Amino acid sequence: MPLSHHDQVTLLKDILSNHQTDCCGSVAECEQLERLIKSLMVNTQVDQNVKSILQEVYHYSQAGAQTADLDGHITAHQENLSQWVDDIGQFS
């Protein structure tokens, strides 16, 4: 059974929150973010304001999946992670 867009947003926020709290993550999490964002971007139920945030998160996850120092990448984006979780929470 596919996830509803609400479940997808919740999962997205959970992964971003974990990155922010733990200052670490995995390539698999970055790849999961990419898949979630691709699905949400084509969903007409998703607020347009969220879609602009999703673009930023997509670039973050792509760079994270390709970096040799994922933990450093996550640490460098701490402020963004917090802001993205807050912003997505407001619009979802």
Side-chain angles (χ1 to χ4, degrees):
M1 181 173 104
L3 295 174
S4 72
H5 91 279
H6 177 73
D7 292 334
Q8 290 175 325
V9 169
T10 300
L11 180 56
L12 178 76
K13 290 188 325 188
D14 286 348
I15 294 171
L16 293 174
S17 293
N18 288 344
H19 280 198
Q20 199 236 343
T21 304
D22 302 339
C23 295
C24 65
S26 68
V27 171
E29 288 173 332
C30 291
E31 292 169 345
Q32 179 70 32
L33 286 171
E34 289 178 32
R35 289 189 299 272
L36 286 167
I37 291 166
K38 283 180 183 178
S39 178
L40 288 167
M41 289 298 281
V42 297
N43 188 323
T44 56
Q45 294 177 312
V46 176
D47 187 289
Q48 196 59 40
N49 293 312
V50 172
K51 289 187 178 184
S52 63
I53 298 163
L54 292 177
Q55 280 295 123
E56 295 175 31
V57 178
Y58 187 78
H59 293 298
Y60 160 81
S61 61
Q62 276 190 316
Q66 298 171 5
T67 185
D69 181 15
L70 180 55
D71 293 351
H73 175 73
I74 292 169
T75 301
H77 288 84
Q78 284 299 296
E79 189 172 308
N80 296 43
L81 290 165
S82 178
Q83 189 64 51
W84 291 332
V85 171
D86 289 346
D87 290 348
I88 292 169
Q90 287 179 5
F91 294 116
S92 59

